[in-house]
């Protein structure tokens, strides 16, 4: 999805190992198993930021620290993608029940949390073949 330089950060070493193997021939892609809150980025360091399938793994308090960091370090768009809990699809419902995330939130709760730290440009539910995903497109708030 991303052409040019890309930094992927995840707490899960297994996911990072997979990404490193998949993109081993692309020197513009870097992957780190780390907590983003341990980094000190310069203001507006990233052109764009993606937070993919992560919201539902973080408590409200921890999510607020991550969104603060993203707001500070991003100059362009922030794209958040997370499972949409309100689905009638049996496959989506099964995937959500099997997920290890302990913080599956309603659309109102997601938007309420995100809007505290970021400007929400638009949001919608994306219906893929396997899962229903909420997409929240944001821009940074002035610091």
């Amino acid at each position: 999805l991303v052409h040019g330089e890309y930094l992927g950060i995840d707490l899960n070493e297994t996911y990072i190992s997979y990404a490193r193997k998949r993109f081993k021939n692309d020197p513009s892609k870097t992957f780190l198993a780390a907590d983003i809150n341990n980094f000190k980025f310069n203001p507006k360091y990233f052109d764009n930021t993606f937070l993919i399938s992560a919201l539902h793994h973080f408590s409200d308090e921890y999510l607020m620290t991550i969104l603060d960091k993203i707001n500070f370090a991003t100059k362009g768009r922030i794209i958040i993608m997370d499972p949409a809990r309100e689905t009638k699809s049996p496959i989506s419902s099964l995937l959500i029940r099997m997920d290890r995330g302990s913080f599956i939130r309603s659309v109102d709760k997601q938007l309420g949390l995100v809007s505290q730290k970021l400007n929400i440009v638009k949001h919608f539910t994306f219906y893929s073949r396997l899962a229903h995903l909420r997409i929240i497109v944001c821009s940074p708030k002035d610091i």
Side-chain angles (χ1 to χ4, degrees):
L1 293 174
V2 178
H3 300 287
E5 288 187 59
Y6 177 88
L7 172 61
I9 301 172
D10 197 296
L11 292 169
N12 190 315
E13 179 64 49
T14 302
Y15 295 154
I16 293 300
S17 292
Y18 173 79
R20 285 178 182 147
K21 287 176 190 167
R22 182 169 180 214
F23 295 99
K24 66 182 175 190
N25 295 323
D26 189 343
S28 67
K29 309 282 189 277
T30 304
F31 301 95
L32 302 173
D35 183 338
I36 190 172
N37 286 314
N38 294 332
F39 289 89
K40 293 193 187 305
F41 296 109
N42 290 327
K44 308 305 175 199
Y45 180 80
F46 296 108
D47 292 331
N48 299 293
T49 300
F50 299 91
L51 189 61
I52 300 174
S53 293
L55 257 81
H56 65 283
H57 290 286
F58 304 130
S59 69
D60 292 359
E61 298 78 27
Y62 188 72
L63 179 59
M64 292 295 100
T65 64
I66 290 170
L67 294 176
D68 270 336
K69 178 78 68 166
I70 288 171
N71 184 64
F72 177 79
T74 307
K75 60 183 160 193
R77 291 282 188 224
I78 299 139
I79 310 295
I80 300 171
M81 183 173 69
D82 218 58
R85 157 180 111 162
E86 52 287 331
T87 177
K88 293 183 178 24
S89 163
I91 293 173
S92 266
S93 295
L94 176 65
L95 290 173
I96 288 171
R97 282 194 308 273
M98 291 174 54
D99 190 282
R100 295 179 317 274
S102 299
F103 302 97
I104 301 283
R105 299 172 177 95
S106 69
V107 62
D108 292 335
K109 179 71 172 173
Q110 282 182 345
L111 296 174
L113 289 169
V114 170
S115 67
Q116 290 178 46
K117 302 294 180 175
L118 305 171
N119 295 313
I120 296 175
V121 175
K122 65 181 173 180
H123 67 91
F124 56 94
T125 302
F126 175 76
Y127 301 99
S128 74
R129 290 182 180 176
L130 294 178
H132 293 84
L133 303 169
R134 178 146 16 271
I135 311 292
I136 306 171
V137 180
C138 305
S139 64
K141 282 191 175 185
D142 293 332
I143 300 174

